[in-house]
Amino acid sequence: MSSEPVSPEATAVELMRAMTRLRARLRTEAPIDDLPWNWSHLTTLHRIVQDGPTTASELAQAEHVRRQSMAETLAALREGGLVTTAKDPDDGRKTLVSATQAGRVLCERIPAAREAWLSEAMRSTLRAEERRTLHRAAEIMNRLADSDR
C-alpha cells in the first residue's frame, strides 16, 4: 500500500463502488426467491415495521411510487398476511396500514440472513488484522453518516 496521500474524491469513488458491490452481493447471498414478494413489497413492509402505522398515501409518497402502485403492493402484503388495515382512531376518514407479527418476523429474516453471510465471509476471507481494520472503518463510516455536511 502506498504512503502517498489519497484525495477525498478518489476515496469517495472507491467507497461508493465498494458499498454498491457489497450491497448487490448481500442481496444475492440472502435471496428472496423462495418468497412470493418482490423487493418493492419488502421495502414497503420494512418501512411500515420501522415507522409504525401509516396511510397508503404516506407510503406512496415515502416510497416514491404512484398511489395505484402502492395499493397493489399493499393488497399483496395484506393477502400474504403481512399487513392489516384499520380506521385511524384520530381521523375516521383515514385507513392505517400496520404490520402483522408475520410481517415483522419476515422483516427480521432477511437482514439476519445477510448478516450471517457477511460474518462468515469476513471470517473465512479476512485475517484478524483486516477484520479489526474493517471494524474501525465501519466506525468511521458511521461518523460520516452522522456528519452535518
Side-chain angles (χ1 to χ4, degrees):
M1 183 170 245
S2 172
S3 62
E4 293 292 317
V6 179
S7 73
E9 294 80 8
T11 302
V13 168
E14 288 303 311
L15 187 57
M16 293 288 294
R17 215 177 267 154
M19 290 186 325
T20 299
R21 290 185 66 221
L22 184 57
R23 182 176 179 160
R25 183 73 190 267
L26 287 169
R27 281 188 169 189
T28 301
E29 297 301 331
I32 60 165
D33 296 341
D34 63 326
L35 302 175
W37 302 284
N38 62 34
W39 284 110
S40 176
H41 295 137
L42 296 175
T43 59
T44 298
L45 178 62
H46 184 264
R47 184 174 297 278
I48 295 166
V49 168
Q50 292 299 309
D51 297 348
T54 187
T55 67
S57 295
E58 291 167 341
L59 283 169
Q61 183 177 12
E63 291 293 314
H64 307 287
V65 298
R66 295 180 330 220
R67 286 186 180 138
Q68 180 182 353
S69 296
M70 184 53 65
E72 292 170 4
T73 296
L74 292 174
L77 294 174
R78 199 170 30 255
E79 186 177 310
L82 302 177
V83 299
T84 60
T85 56
K87 289 289 181 191
D88 184 335
D90 298 327
D91 184 348
R93 298 168 297 172
K94 294 181 181 180
T95 299
L96 296 177
V97 181
S98 301
T100 63
Q101 181 60 29
R104 287 187 286 282
V105 168
L106 179 60
C107 273
E108 293 170 3
R109 176 180 160 199
I110 292 171
R114 289 176 178 166
E115 183 180 313
W117 176 83
L118 186 55
S119 296
E120 181 52 36
M122 288 189 300
R123 187 176 291 109
S124 64
T125 306
L126 303 177
R127 295 184 315 271
E129 178 185 331
E130 292 172 315
R131 290 192 302 270
R132 283 190 296 274
T133 299
L134 196 54
H135 185 83
R136 180 69 181 126
E139 292 172 353
I140 293 167
M141 290 170 69
N142 279 318
R143 199 168 76 223
L144 277 174
D146 293 338
S147 83
D148 292 336
R149 293 210 158 270

